[in-house]
Amino acid sequence: MTTTTIHSSFLPHTDPDASLAFYRDVLGWEVRNDVRWDGNAWITVGPADQPDTAIVLHPPTASPGLTEDEQRTLRELVAKGSYFGVNLASDDLDTLFATLESNGAEVVQEPTDQPYGVRDCAFRDPAGNLLRIQQKG
């Protein structure tokens, strides 16, 4: 049987340089690709110790065929932070939370022991994407 893994996920950005600064300088991820073309940017980032896992930060309205109404709706959903999100995990949630908070990341939820057995916290990136981070094992 062939093993299937998630190689990359996509999150929208509204300001490529602000998103790049957040993922590289605040979260500490490496930049694997930064493609700027025709006024748009696709930036691939990921944890340095996990070369097979990445997030591609992309312009939400660059998909061909979107109507102006669809583009406006996407921009509104992204601005509200209700369009995309990702769940991450850390082997030291409290230290990571303190680092992100001290670097100015927007805190949505401080580390919390959830009633369903997970300890997690939540932040928003500069585009408004929700990043939930849970304690590993």
Side-chain angles (χ1 to χ4, degrees):
M1 178 175 204
T2 301
T3 300
T4 303
T5 61
I6 295 174
H7 179 266
S8 56
S9 296
F10 286 71
L11 289 176
H13 68 69
T14 54
D15 178 336
D17 294 322
S19 290
L20 177 63
F22 176 81
Y23 285 92
R24 181 192 58 210
D25 303 335
V26 176
L27 196 55
W29 284 8
E30 66 181 15
V31 178
R32 300 189 183 144
N33 207 356
D34 187 344
V35 177
R36 311 277 174 136
W37 180 75
D38 197 25
N40 292 303
W42 290 261
I43 303 167
T44 305
V45 295
D49 62 344
Q50 298 175 45
D52 294 331
T53 301
I55 290 178
V56 180
L57 304 166
H58 68 96
T61 59
S63 298
L66 291 175
T67 66
E68 287 188 29
D69 284 344
E70 291 168 331
Q71 291 180 20
R72 185 185 65 252
T73 298
L74 284 172
R75 283 191 292 271
E76 289 172 357
L77 289 170
V78 170
K80 290 173 58 179
S82 56
Y83 186 52
F84 277 103
V86 65
N87 287 357
L88 307 174
S90 171
D91 55 5
D92 189 349
L93 177 67
D94 292 302
T95 298
L96 179 58
F97 176 85
T99 299
L100 293 174
E101 184 180 40
S102 69
N103 282 314
E106 179 185 344
V107 176
V108 175
Q109 175 205 301
E110 295 189 4
T112 303
D113 293 320
Q114 301 293 351
Y116 43 87
V118 171
R119 179 170 175 76
D120 67 358
C121 64
F123 292 89
R124 290 203 188 282
D125 77 3
N129 298 305
L130 183 64
L131 305 178
R132 295 202 70 83
I133 306 169
Q134 71 181 48
Q135 176 67 45
K136 280 186 182 176

